[in-house]
Amino acid sequence: MILKNQLYKIENKQVDGDSANYVVGLNSDCFIYKAHFPNNPITPGVCIVQTARELLEDIVGRPLEITEAKDVKFLNILSPNDHKQVTFSFSDIIVAADSVKAKVTVANGETVFTTIAFTCA
């Protein structure tokens, strides 16, 4: 399932070499939030990881599948009621013929929600 334009919308992006920043707006009316949880929406961890993968696809311009994820840390609850926008900051992007590696931090200001280091093919 593609989450772009359902769970989130890209509001701004800056790609520069091996780093990138995407500001995304969270759609509190998305059906995922209605199920997780009604009247107290929380972004599921799997949706945060999926969004990171979709944004990495946008950076490299090709479809990707996650083949390895390590150092995945969920540090704070991400609710669209409390944070309408978050920034996915990518660093150490390494593009090879058969794989793409990257680190990503999901944050709003000083509040860090998630950090991920992953490899895609």
Side-chain angles (χ1 to χ4, degrees):
M1 168 193 298
I2 303 299
L3 299 179
K4 182 178 178 185
N5 297 325
Q6 292 185 68
L7 183 76
Y8 72 92
K9 180 177 116 183
I10 297 172
E11 296 186 355
N12 189 9
K13 70 178 180 179
Q14 296 176 309
V15 179
D16 185 25
D18 69 345
S19 65
N21 288 310
Y22 281 75
V23 176
V24 301
L26 300 176
N27 177 10
S28 61
D29 292 327
C30 179
F31 70 93
I32 291 171
Y33 288 127
K34 302 228 183 284
H36 198 266
F37 295 96
N39 302 316
N40 187 24
I42 295 172
T43 308
V46 68
C47 292
I48 296 170
V49 174
Q50 170 73 8
T51 299
R53 183 191 62 83
E54 290 180 20
L55 297 175
L56 189 58
E57 287 179 339
D58 188 72
I59 293 167
V60 300
R62 68 179 193 234
L64 298 171
E65 290 185 26
I66 297 172
T67 57
E68 179 182 20
K70 54 185 176 181
D71 299 327
V72 179
K73 296 178 184 168
F74 299 102
L75 304 168
N76 286 291
I77 293 172
L78 176 54
S79 170
N81 289 345
D82 298 329
H83 301 280
K84 303 273 186 224
Q85 291 182 327
V86 292
T87 300
F88 283 70
S89 298
F90 292 83
S91 63
D92 301 327
I93 301 169
I94 301 170
V95 180
D98 61 345
S99 68
V100 179
K101 293 183 179 187
K103 294 178 183 175
V104 63
T105 300
V106 182
N108 180 299
E110 296 296 315
T111 305
V112 176
F113 301 103
T114 306
T115 60
I116 308 166
F118 63 138
T119 303
C120 298

